[in-house]
Amino acid sequence: MNYCYNCGHITPGEPLYCNYCGRSYDVKLCPRHHANPRSADVCSQCGSRELSTPQPKVPAMWKLLAILIRLGLGLFLFYVTLSFLVAVAKTTEFQQGLVAFALLLIALWLVWSKLPDWLQDILRNFVKRKRRDDGDR
């Protein structure tokens, strides 16, 4: 995802330009989508002079501030989650459930390892096909 500092919209995926205002992200693009530096006047691959307008530059302090805010929020959420898990893990019901879950996982891995290779391949292909079919919807 990229945030356009020109129009304020977010474009999903790994885009080369903003879908709303048409400005490119940190590069100049020719009509054939060759990436060129911001200072280029001519495309280095095809020689075209029709280059896109890149979005405005963002000061380094704002980028650093954004990284620090993300890091701070991530560490805070990690701390809250970890403290919650430690508090829950002290109860005996959770410990018994964890042991039962671990035994179930061990049993499933043991069954999986005893299956013949050809059957494991069939099951893997089935799961891959199922994920691909679900992704098309």
Side-chain angles (χ1 to χ4, degrees):
M1 290 178 128
N2 282 335
Y3 177 76
C4 181
Y5 294 101
N6 184 51
C7 65
H9 286 96
I10 294 176
T11 306
E14 295 289 333
L16 297 173
Y17 55 88
C18 176
N19 288 337
Y20 298 96
C21 67
R23 292 211 176 189
S24 56
Y25 295 108
D26 296 329
V27 294
K28 286 186 176 180
L29 299 172
C30 72
R32 294 181 181 167
H33 296 289
H34 297 136
N36 297 287
R38 291 177 73 98
S39 60
D41 293 327
V42 177
C43 178
S44 60
Q45 294 182 10
C46 66
S48 175
R49 291 191 172 273
E50 297 177 30
L51 298 177
S52 66
T53 305
Q55 68 176 346
K57 279 192 170 188
V58 180
M61 288 300 292
W62 285 110
K63 288 183 180 181
L64 180 64
L65 181 65
I67 290 171
L68 290 176
I69 288 173
R70 272 191 206 159
L71 183 64
L73 286 174
L75 288 174
F76 175 72
L77 289 174
F78 177 74
Y79 171 74
V80 168
T81 304
L82 191 62
S83 62
F84 174 74
L85 289 176
V86 167
V88 169
K90 290 181 180 178
T91 63
T92 57
E93 294 85 13
F94 178 78
Q95 291 173 354
Q96 291 170 352
L98 187 62
V99 169
F101 182 69
L103 289 175
L104 179 65
L105 276 179
I106 290 170
L108 288 174
W109 276 110
L110 183 64
V111 168
W112 177 257
S113 67
K114 297 299 178 185
L115 290 176
D117 290 339
W118 60 270
L119 186 56
Q120 287 182 4
D121 291 340
I122 290 172
L123 292 173
R124 279 191 200 108
N125 290 337
F126 176 75
V127 170
K128 284 181 187 176
R129 189 176 321 120
K130 179 81 170 144
R131 285 184 186 163
R132 188 174 50 238
D133 292 344
D134 288 343
D136 292 342
R137 293 181 192 167

